[in-house]
Amino acid sequence: MIFLRRLVETLMAMLLMMLALPVLLMSAAVVFVVDPGPVFYRQSREGLRGRPFRLVKLRTMVRGADARLAELLAVDP
């Protein structure tokens, strides 16, 4: 029973990923056209039980936003 549930969940996830892929590709193209550079933003975050995990998402901010924020906070906390 657990195997069947896992199989159904995996197949549904694969189907949804295939349906979402065109939207993700178009979004990535728009991000690249608006501000050429890396399309994905990567960051290490703290997860369950304090274990770090790598976050990857479409970049929705300017390149170097983390550095700009740190500079701004250093001048005006």
Side-chain angles (χ1 to χ4, degrees):
M1 188 67 176
I2 294 174
F3 173 76
L4 181 62
R5 178 179 176 187
R6 174 70 179 197
L7 179 66
V8 170
E9 288 175 350
T10 302
L11 290 174
M12 291 296 292
M14 290 173 59
L15 175 65
L16 291 173
M17 288 295 290
M18 289 190 320
L19 291 173
L21 187 61
V23 175
L24 289 172
L25 289 175
M26 288 299 294
S27 299
V30 169
V31 167
F32 185 77
V33 167
V34 169
D35 185 18
V39 174
F40 294 104
Y41 174 73
R42 295 170 191 89
Q43 186 180 45
S44 181
R45 295 204 178 168
E46 188 173 323
L48 187 64
R49 295 183 185 89
R51 292 176 38 197
F53 71 96
R54 184 104 174 165
L55 170 82
V56 179
K57 66 177 189 172
L58 284 174
R59 184 172 53 91
T60 57
M61 57 201 150
V62 297
R63 285 180 288 155
D66 290 338
R68 288 184 188 182
L69 177 61
E71 290 172 6
L72 179 63
L73 290 175
V75 174
D76 184 15

PDB file of all heavy atoms in Angstrom, residues 7-42:
ATOM      1  N   LEU A   7       4.262   5.652  -5.478  1.00  0.00           N
ATOM      2  CA  LEU A   7       4.263   5.631  -6.936  1.00  0.00           C
ATOM      3  C   LEU A   7       3.313   6.693  -7.491  1.00  0.00           C
ATOM      4  O   LEU A   7       3.669   7.453  -8.397  1.00  0.00           O
ATOM      5  CB  LEU A   7       3.874   4.245  -7.447  1.00  0.00           C
ATOM      6  CG  LEU A   7       3.812   4.082  -8.961  1.00  0.00           C
ATOM      7  CD1 LEU A   7       5.201   4.242  -9.570  1.00  0.00           C
ATOM      8  CD2 LEU A   7       3.226   2.729  -9.320  1.00  0.00           C
ATOM      9  N   VAL A   8       2.117   6.775  -6.950  1.00  0.00           N
ATOM     10  CA  VAL A   8       1.134   7.762  -7.403  1.00  0.00           C
ATOM     11  C   VAL A   8       1.642   9.176  -7.142  1.00  0.00           C
ATOM     12  O   VAL A   8       1.548  10.052  -8.010  1.00  0.00           O
ATOM     13  CB  VAL A   8      -0.237   7.523  -6.727  1.00  0.00           C
ATOM     14  CG1 VAL A   8      -1.183   8.676  -6.990  1.00  0.00           C
ATOM     15  CG2 VAL A   8      -0.840   6.219  -7.208  1.00  0.00           C
ATOM     16  N   GLU A   9       2.200   9.418  -5.966  1.00  0.00           N
ATOM     17  CA  GLU A   9       2.723  10.744  -5.640  1.00  0.00           C
ATOM     18  C   GLU A   9       3.864  11.126  -6.570  1.00  0.00           C
ATOM     19  O   GLU A   9       3.957  12.270  -7.028  1.00  0.00           O
ATOM     20  CB  GLU A   9       3.192  10.785  -4.186  1.00  0.00           C
ATOM     21  CG  GLU A   9       2.054  10.764  -3.194  1.00  0.00           C
ATOM     22  CD  GLU A   9       2.529  10.680  -1.759  1.00  0.00           C
ATOM     23  OE1 GLU A   9       3.737  10.442  -1.522  1.00  0.00           O
ATOM     24  OE2 GLU A   9       1.688  10.838  -0.857  1.00  0.00           O
ATOM     25  N   THR A  10       4.748  10.195  -6.877  1.00  0.00           N
ATOM     26  CA  THR A  10       5.873  10.461  -7.776  1.00  0.00           C
ATOM     27  C   THR A  10       5.384  10.764  -9.185  1.00  0.00           C
ATOM     28  O   THR A  10       5.857  11.711  -9.823  1.00  0.00           O
ATOM     29  CB  THR A  10       6.842   9.269  -7.787  1.00  0.00           C
ATOM     30  OG1 THR A  10       7.298   9.022  -6.454  1.00  0.00           O
ATOM     31  CG2 THR A  10       8.029   9.540  -8.688  1.00  0.00           C
ATOM     32  N   LEU A  11       4.433   9.993  -9.672  1.00  0.00           N
ATOM     33  CA  LEU A  11       3.903  10.229 -11.015  1.00  0.00           C
ATOM     34  C   LEU A  11       3.181  11.577 -11.095  1.00  0.00           C
ATOM     35  O   LEU A  11       3.322  12.296 -12.094  1.00  0.00           O
ATOM     36  CB  LEU A  11       2.964   9.092 -11.420  1.00  0.00           C
ATOM     37  CG  LEU A  11       3.643   7.745 -11.676  1.00  0.00           C
ATOM     38  CD1 LEU A  11       2.594   6.668 -11.937  1.00  0.00           C
ATOM     39  CD2 LEU A  11       4.616   7.836 -12.828  1.00  0.00           C
ATOM     40  N   MET A  12       2.431  11.930 -10.076  1.00  0.00           N
ATOM     41  CA  MET A  12       1.748  13.226 -10.054  1.00  0.00           C
ATOM     42  C   MET A  12       2.756  14.378 -10.028  1.00  0.00           C
ATOM     43  O   MET A  12       2.583  15.387 -10.720  1.00  0.00           O
ATOM     44  CB  MET A  12       0.808  13.322  -8.852  1.00  0.00           C
ATOM     45  CG  MET A  12      -0.400  12.414  -8.941  1.00  0.00           C
ATOM     46  SD  MET A  12      -1.476  12.837 -10.314  1.00  0.00           S
ATOM     47  CE  MET A  12      -2.087  14.403  -9.770  1.00  0.00           C
ATOM     48  N   ALA A  13       3.809  14.234  -9.243  1.00  0.00           N
ATOM     49  CA  ALA A  13       4.839  15.275  -9.179  1.00  0.00           C
ATOM     50  C   ALA A  13       5.527  15.441 -10.532  1.00  0.00           C
ATOM     51  O   ALA A  13       5.775  16.566 -10.981  1.00  0.00           O
ATOM     52  CB  ALA A  13       5.867  14.928  -8.103  1.00  0.00           C
ATOM     53  N   MET A  14       5.812  14.344 -11.205  1.00  0.00           N
ATOM     54  CA  MET A  14       6.433  14.413 -12.526  1.00  0.00           C
ATOM     55  C   MET A  14       5.506  15.096 -13.526  1.00  0.00           C
ATOM     56  O   MET A  14       5.946  15.926 -14.330  1.00  0.00           O
ATOM     57  CB  MET A  14       6.827  13.022 -12.998  1.00  0.00           C
ATOM     58  CG  MET A  14       7.980  12.430 -12.215  1.00  0.00           C
ATOM     59  SD  MET A  14       8.347  10.708 -12.611  1.00  0.00           S
ATOM     60  CE  MET A  14       8.697  10.797 -14.341  1.00  0.00           C
ATOM     61  N   LEU A  15       4.240  14.770 -13.492  1.00  0.00           N
ATOM     62  CA  LEU A  15       3.272  15.383 -14.392  1.00  0.00           C
ATOM     63  C   LEU A  15       3.173  16.889 -14.150  1.00  0.00           C
ATOM     64  O   LEU A  15       3.197  17.687 -15.089  1.00  0.00           O
ATOM     65  CB  LEU A  15       1.899  14.728 -14.215  1.00  0.00           C
ATOM     66  CG  LEU A  15       0.758  15.346 -15.014  1.00  0.00           C
ATOM     67  CD1 LEU A  15       1.001  15.158 -16.510  1.00  0.00           C
ATOM     68  CD2 LEU A  15      -0.557  14.745 -14.610  1.00  0.00           C
ATOM     69  N   LEU A  16       3.086  17.285 -12.884  1.00  0.00           N
ATOM     70  CA  LEU A  16       2.993  18.700 -12.566  1.00  0.00           C
ATOM     71  C   LEU A  16       4.257  19.453 -12.952  1.00  0.00           C
ATOM     72  O   LEU A  16       4.193  20.598 -13.416  1.00  0.00           O
ATOM     73  CB  LEU A  16       2.683  18.889 -11.083  1.00  0.00           C
ATOM     74  CG  LEU A  16       1.278  18.457 -10.659  1.00  0.00           C
ATOM     75  CD1 LEU A  16       1.132  18.520  -9.145  1.00  0.00           C
ATOM     76  CD2 LEU A  16       0.233  19.329 -11.329  1.00  0.00           C
ATOM     77  N   MET A  17       5.406  18.829 -12.789  1.00  0.00           N
ATOM     78  CA  MET A  17       6.666  19.461 -13.197  1.00  0.00           C
ATOM     79  C   MET A  17       6.710  19.664 -14.706  1.00  0.00           C
ATOM     80  O   MET A  17       7.171  20.702 -15.192  1.00  0.00           O
ATOM     81  CB  MET A  17       7.869  18.629 -12.737  1.00  0.00           C
ATOM     82  CG  MET A  17       8.115  18.694 -11.255  1.00  0.00           C
ATOM     83  SD  MET A  17       8.574  20.339 -10.709  1.00  0.00           S
ATOM     84  CE  MET A  17      10.184  20.484 -11.416  1.00  0.00           C
ATOM     85  N   MET A  18       6.231  18.706 -15.468  1.00  0.00           N
ATOM     86  CA  MET A  18       6.211  18.843 -16.924  1.00  0.00           C
ATOM     87  C   MET A  18       5.259  19.955 -17.345  1.00  0.00           C
ATOM     88  O   MET A  18       5.533  20.688 -18.295  1.00  0.00           O
ATOM     89  CB  MET A  18       5.839  17.521 -17.587  1.00  0.00           C
ATOM     90  CG  MET A  18       6.946  16.494 -17.486  1.00  0.00           C
ATOM     91  SD  MET A  18       6.746  14.991 -18.455  1.00  0.00           S
ATOM     92  CE  MET A  18       5.064  14.576 -18.306  1.00  0.00           C
ATOM     93  N   LEU A  19       4.150  20.096 -16.646  1.00  0.00           N
ATOM     94  CA  LEU A  19       3.210  21.167 -16.957  1.00  0.00           C
ATOM     95  C   LEU A  19       3.771  22.540 -16.580  1.00  0.00           C
ATOM     96  O   LEU A  19       3.501  23.540 -17.251  1.00  0.00           O
ATOM     97  CB  LEU A  19       1.878  20.941 -16.231  1.00  0.00           C
ATOM     98  CG  LEU A  19       1.049  19.752 -16.733  1.00  0.00           C
ATOM     99  CD1 LEU A  19      -0.153  19.537 -15.828  1.00  0.00           C
ATOM    100  CD2 LEU A  19       0.605  19.970 -18.167  1.00  0.00           C
ATOM    101  N   ALA A  20       4.558  22.599 -15.532  1.00  0.00           N
ATOM    102  CA  ALA A  20       5.120  23.866 -15.069  1.00  0.00           C
ATOM    103  C   ALA A  20       6.369  24.273 -15.856  1.00  0.00           C
ATOM    104  O   ALA A  20       6.730  25.451 -15.859  1.00  0.00           O
ATOM    105  CB  ALA A  20       5.461  23.765 -13.581  1.00  0.00           C
ATOM    106  N   LEU A  21       7.009  23.357 -16.527  1.00  0.00           N
ATOM    107  CA  LEU A  21       8.266  23.640 -17.215  1.00  0.00           C
ATOM    108  C   LEU A  21       8.164  24.773 -18.235  1.00  0.00           C
ATOM    109  O   LEU A  21       9.025  25.667 -18.230  1.00  0.00           O
ATOM    110  CB  LEU A  21       8.810  22.361 -17.864  1.00  0.00           C
ATOM    111  CG  LEU A  21      10.196  22.486 -18.480  1.00  0.00           C
ATOM    112  CD1 LEU A  21      11.216  22.858 -17.424  1.00  0.00           C
ATOM    113  CD2 LEU A  21      10.579  21.184 -19.161  1.00  0.00           C
ATOM    114  N   PRO A  22       7.158  24.821 -19.102  1.00  0.00           N
ATOM    115  CA  PRO A  22       7.084  25.944 -20.052  1.00  0.00           C
ATOM    116  C   PRO A  22       6.973  27.308 -19.362  1.00  0.00           C
ATOM    117  O   PRO A  22       7.587  28.282 -19.796  1.00  0.00           O
ATOM    118  CB  PRO A  22       5.834  25.648 -20.878  1.00  0.00           C
ATOM    119  CG  PRO A  22       5.600  24.191 -20.724  1.00  0.00           C
ATOM    120  CD  PRO A  22       6.110  23.829 -19.367  1.00  0.00           C
ATOM    121  N   VAL A  23       6.225  27.379 -18.284  1.00  0.00           N
ATOM    122  CA  VAL A  23       6.080  28.635 -17.546  1.00  0.00           C
ATOM    123  C   VAL A  23       7.416  29.030 -16.930  1.00  0.00           C
ATOM    124  O   VAL A  23       7.818  30.198 -16.978  1.00  0.00           O
ATOM    125  CB  VAL A  23       4.989  28.514 -16.464  1.00  0.00           C
ATOM    126  CG1 VAL A  23       4.920  29.766 -15.610  1.00  0.00           C
ATOM    127  CG2 VAL A  23       3.648  28.210 -17.090  1.00  0.00           C
ATOM    128  N   LEU A  24       8.130  28.074 -16.359  1.00  0.00           N
ATOM    129  CA  LEU A  24       9.429  28.356 -15.765  1.00  0.00           C
ATOM    130  C   LEU A  24      10.435  28.814 -16.814  1.00  0.00           C
ATOM    131  O   LEU A  24      11.219  29.740 -16.583  1.00  0.00           O
ATOM    132  CB  LEU A  24       9.954  27.125 -15.028  1.00  0.00           C
ATOM    133  CG  LEU A  24       9.230  26.766 -13.741  1.00  0.00           C
ATOM    134  CD1 LEU A  24       9.712  25.423 -13.209  1.00  0.00           C
ATOM    135  CD2 LEU A  24       9.434  27.841 -12.707  1.00  0.00           C
ATOM    136  N   LEU A  25      10.431  28.171 -17.981  1.00  0.00           N
ATOM    137  CA  LEU A  25      11.359  28.563 -19.047  1.00  0.00           C
ATOM    138  C   LEU A  25      11.068  29.971 -19.555  1.00  0.00           C
ATOM    139  O   LEU A  25      11.994  30.753 -19.793  1.00  0.00           O
ATOM    140  CB  LEU A  25      11.301  27.550 -20.191  1.00  0.00           C
ATOM    141  CG  LEU A  25      11.904  26.181 -19.893  1.00  0.00           C
ATOM    142  CD1 LEU A  25      11.675  25.232 -21.059  1.00  0.00           C
ATOM    143  CD2 LEU A  25      13.383  26.302 -19.576  1.00  0.00           C
ATOM    144  N   MET A  26       9.801  30.296 -19.715  1.00  0.00           N
ATOM    145  CA  MET A  26       9.443  31.652 -20.159  1.00  0.00           C
ATOM    146  C   MET A  26       9.822  32.685 -19.094  1.00  0.00           C
ATOM    147  O   MET A  26      10.338  33.760 -19.416  1.00  0.00           O
ATOM    148  CB  MET A  26       7.943  31.734 -20.463  1.00  0.00           C
ATOM    149  CG  MET A  26       7.528  31.007 -21.708  1.00  0.00           C
ATOM    150  SD  MET A  26       8.306  31.646 -23.188  1.00  0.00           S
ATOM    151  CE  MET A  26       7.583  33.261 -23.280  1.00  0.00           C
ATOM    152  N   SER A  27       9.597  32.367 -17.847  1.00  0.00           N
ATOM    153  CA  SER A  27       9.966  33.280 -16.763  1.00  0.00           C
ATOM    154  C   SER A  27      11.471  33.482 -16.720  1.00  0.00           C
ATOM    155  O   SER A  27      11.950  34.605 -16.535  1.00  0.00           O
ATOM    156  CB  SER A  27       9.480  32.738 -15.420  1.00  0.00           C
ATOM    157  OG  SER A  27       8.083  32.619 -15.408  1.00  0.00           O
ATOM    158  N   ALA A  28      12.227  32.416 -16.906  1.00  0.00           N
ATOM    159  CA  ALA A  28      13.682  32.516 -16.921  1.00  0.00           C
ATOM    160  C   ALA A  28      14.146  33.388 -18.085  1.00  0.00           C
ATOM    161  O   ALA A  28      15.069  34.205 -17.943  1.00  0.00           O
ATOM    162  CB  ALA A  28      14.309  31.125 -17.013  1.00  0.00           C
ATOM    163  N   ALA A  29      13.515  33.255 -19.237  1.00  0.00           N
ATOM    164  CA  ALA A  29      13.874  34.072 -20.392  1.00  0.00           C
ATOM    165  C   ALA A  29      13.601  35.550 -20.120  1.00  0.00           C
ATOM    166  O   ALA A  29      14.408  36.414 -20.461  1.00  0.00           O
ATOM    167  CB  ALA A  29      13.104  33.597 -21.626  1.00  0.00           C
ATOM    168  N   VAL A  30      12.477  35.849 -19.490  1.00  0.00           N
ATOM    169  CA  VAL A  30      12.142  37.241 -19.167  1.00  0.00           C
ATOM    170  C   VAL A  30      13.154  37.807 -18.179  1.00  0.00           C
ATOM    171  O   VAL A  30      13.616  38.942 -18.337  1.00  0.00           O
ATOM    172  CB  VAL A  30      10.703  37.340 -18.608  1.00  0.00           C
ATOM    173  CG1 VAL A  30      10.430  38.715 -18.025  1.00  0.00           C
ATOM    174  CG2 VAL A  30       9.699  37.006 -19.692  1.00  0.00           C
ATOM    175  N   VAL A  31      13.523  37.047 -17.161  1.00  0.00           N
ATOM    176  CA  VAL A  31      14.511  37.505 -16.187  1.00  0.00           C
ATOM    177  C   VAL A  31      15.824  37.813 -16.891  1.00  0.00           C
ATOM    178  O   VAL A  31      16.452  38.847 -16.639  1.00  0.00           O
ATOM    179  CB  VAL A  31      14.729  36.444 -15.073  1.00  0.00           C
ATOM    180  CG1 VAL A  31      15.963  36.766 -14.240  1.00  0.00           C
ATOM    181  CG2 VAL A  31      13.504  36.355 -14.187  1.00  0.00           C
ATOM    182  N   PHE A  32      16.242  36.962 -17.811  1.00  0.00           N
ATOM    183  CA  PHE A  32      17.507  37.161 -18.510  1.00  0.00           C
ATOM    184  C   PHE A  32      17.455  38.384 -19.429  1.00  0.00           C
ATOM    185  O   PHE A  32      18.417  39.136 -19.517  1.00  0.00           O
ATOM    186  CB  PHE A  32      17.877  35.914 -19.316  1.00  0.00           C
ATOM    187  CG  PHE A  32      19.231  36.024 -19.950  1.00  0.00           C
ATOM    188  CD1 PHE A  32      20.362  35.846 -19.193  1.00  0.00           C
ATOM    189  CD2 PHE A  32      19.354  36.327 -21.286  1.00  0.00           C
ATOM    190  CE1 PHE A  32      21.622  35.963 -19.762  1.00  0.00           C
ATOM    191  CE2 PHE A  32      20.597  36.443 -21.881  1.00  0.00           C
ATOM    192  CZ  PHE A  32      21.742  36.262 -21.109  1.00  0.00           C
ATOM    193  N   VAL A  33      16.332  38.599 -20.094  1.00  0.00           N
ATOM    194  CA  VAL A  33      16.207  39.741 -21.007  1.00  0.00           C
ATOM    195  C   VAL A  33      16.200  41.057 -20.224  1.00  0.00           C
ATOM    196  O   VAL A  33      16.838  42.028 -20.621  1.00  0.00           O
ATOM    197  CB  VAL A  33      14.939  39.614 -21.879  1.00  0.00           C
ATOM    198  CG1 VAL A  33      14.623  40.900 -22.599  1.00  0.00           C
ATOM    199  CG2 VAL A  33      15.101  38.470 -22.866  1.00  0.00           C
ATOM    200  N   VAL A  34      15.499  41.088 -19.112  1.00  0.00           N
ATOM    201  CA  VAL A  34      15.401  42.313 -18.311  1.00  0.00           C
ATOM    202  C   VAL A  34      16.736  42.659 -17.669  1.00  0.00           C
ATOM    203  O   VAL A  34      17.152  43.816 -17.662  1.00  0.00           O
ATOM    204  CB  VAL A  34      14.297  42.164 -17.232  1.00  0.00           C
ATOM    205  CG1 VAL A  34      14.349  43.297 -16.234  1.00  0.00           C
ATOM    206  CG2 VAL A  34      12.940  42.089 -17.890  1.00  0.00           C
ATOM    207  N   ASP A  35      17.431  41.680 -17.125  1.00  0.00           N
ATOM    208  CA  ASP A  35      18.717  41.909 -16.460  1.00  0.00           C
ATOM    209  C   ASP A  35      19.631  40.721 -16.749  1.00  0.00           C
ATOM    210  O   ASP A  35      19.618  39.732 -16.006  1.00  0.00           O
ATOM    211  CB  ASP A  35      18.513  42.071 -14.953  1.00  0.00           C
ATOM    212  CG  ASP A  35      19.792  42.441 -14.220  1.00  0.00           C
ATOM    213  OD1 ASP A  35      20.751  42.894 -14.863  1.00  0.00           O
ATOM    214  OD2 ASP A  35      19.815  42.282 -12.978  1.00  0.00           O
ATOM    215  N   PRO A  36      20.416  40.790 -17.842  1.00  0.00           N
ATOM    216  CA  PRO A  36      21.279  39.655 -18.192  1.00  0.00           C
ATOM    217  C   PRO A  36      22.180  39.250 -17.028  1.00  0.00           C
ATOM    218  O   PRO A  36      22.647  40.081 -16.265  1.00  0.00           O
ATOM    219  CB  PRO A  36      22.106  40.187 -19.361  1.00  0.00           C
ATOM    220  CG  PRO A  36      21.290  41.274 -19.936  1.00  0.00           C
ATOM    221  CD  PRO A  36      20.554  41.888 -18.780  1.00  0.00           C
ATOM    222  N   GLY A  37      22.392  37.991 -16.927  1.00  0.00           N
ATOM    223  CA  GLY A  37      23.191  37.443 -15.841  1.00  0.00           C
ATOM    224  C   GLY A  37      22.582  36.132 -15.413  1.00  0.00           C
ATOM    225  O   GLY A  37      21.782  35.538 -16.131  1.00  0.00           O
ATOM    226  N   PRO A  38      22.935  35.691 -14.231  1.00  0.00           N
ATOM    227  CA  PRO A  38      22.377  34.423 -13.767  1.00  0.00           C
ATOM    228  C   PRO A  38      20.866  34.513 -13.595  1.00  0.00           C
ATOM    229  O   PRO A  38      20.348  35.511 -13.112  1.00  0.00           O
ATOM    230  CB  PRO A  38      23.072  34.180 -12.424  1.00  0.00           C
ATOM    231  CG  PRO A  38      23.664  35.470 -12.036  1.00  0.00           C
ATOM    232  CD  PRO A  38      23.848  36.287 -13.269  1.00  0.00           C
ATOM    233  N   VAL A  39      20.201  33.472 -14.019  1.00  0.00           N
ATOM    234  CA  VAL A  39      18.737  33.447 -13.944  1.00  0.00           C
ATOM    235  C   VAL A  39      18.273  32.949 -12.585  1.00  0.00           C
ATOM    236  O   VAL A  39      17.223  33.348 -12.105  1.00  0.00           O
ATOM    237  CB  VAL A  39      18.179  32.553 -15.073  1.00  0.00           C
ATOM    238  CG1 VAL A  39      16.682  32.381 -14.940  1.00  0.00           C
ATOM    239  CG2 VAL A  39      18.537  33.135 -16.424  1.00  0.00           C
ATOM    240  N   PHE A  40      19.091  32.115 -11.962  1.00  0.00           N
ATOM    241  CA  PHE A  40      18.706  31.528 -10.681  1.00  0.00           C
ATOM    242  C   PHE A  40      19.448  32.181  -9.530  1.00  0.00           C
ATOM    243  O   PHE A  40      20.605  32.577  -9.650  1.00  0.00           O
ATOM    244  CB  PHE A  40      18.970  30.024 -10.676  1.00  0.00           C
ATOM    245  CG  PHE A  40      18.112  29.283 -11.650  1.00  0.00           C
ATOM    246  CD1 PHE A  40      18.635  28.824 -12.840  1.00  0.00           C
ATOM    247  CD2 PHE A  40      16.774  29.063 -11.385  1.00  0.00           C
ATOM    248  CE1 PHE A  40      17.840  28.144 -13.750  1.00  0.00           C
ATOM    249  CE2 PHE A  40      15.966  28.397 -12.282  1.00  0.00           C
ATOM    250  CZ  PHE A  40      16.503  27.938 -13.469  1.00  0.00           C
ATOM    251  N   TYR A  41      18.772  32.285  -8.406  1.00  0.00           N
ATOM    252  CA  TYR A  41      19.343  32.799  -7.164  1.00  0.00           C
ATOM    253  C   TYR A  41      19.565  31.607  -6.248  1.00  0.00           C
ATOM    254  O   TYR A  41      18.659  30.799  -6.040  1.00  0.00           O
ATOM    255  CB  TYR A  41      18.361  33.788  -6.530  1.00  0.00           C
ATOM    256  CG  TYR A  41      18.767  34.278  -5.169  1.00  0.00           C
ATOM    257  CD1 TYR A  41      19.813  35.171  -5.013  1.00  0.00           C
ATOM    258  CD2 TYR A  41      18.091  33.852  -4.033  1.00  0.00           C
ATOM    259  CE1 TYR A  41      20.179  35.632  -3.760  1.00  0.00           C
ATOM    260  CE2 TYR A  41      18.442  34.307  -2.780  1.00  0.00           C
ATOM    261  CZ  TYR A  41      19.488  35.201  -2.648  1.00  0.00           C
ATOM    262  OH  TYR A  41      19.856  35.647  -1.409  1.00  0.00           O
ATOM    263  N   ARG A  42      20.765  31.477  -5.728  1.00  0.00           N
ATOM    264  CA  ARG A  42      21.101  30.362  -4.838  1.00  0.00           C
ATOM    265  C   ARG A  42      21.505  30.906  -3.480  1.00  0.00           C
ATOM    266  O   ARG A  42      22.239  31.876  -3.391  1.00  0.00           O
ATOM    267  CB  ARG A  42      22.246  29.559  -5.427  1.00  0.00           C
ATOM    268  CG  ARG A  42      21.900  28.878  -6.716  1.00  0.00           C
ATOM    269  CD  ARG A  42      23.146  28.295  -7.379  1.00  0.00           C
ATOM    270  NE  ARG A  42      22.870  27.874  -8.720  1.00  0.00           N
ATOM    271  CZ  ARG A  42      22.966  28.644  -9.790  1.00  0.00           C
ATOM    272  NH1 ARG A  42      23.339  29.888  -9.669  1.00  0.00           N
ATOM    273  NH2 ARG A  42      22.690  28.190 -10.987  1.00  0.00           N
TER     274      ARG A  42
END
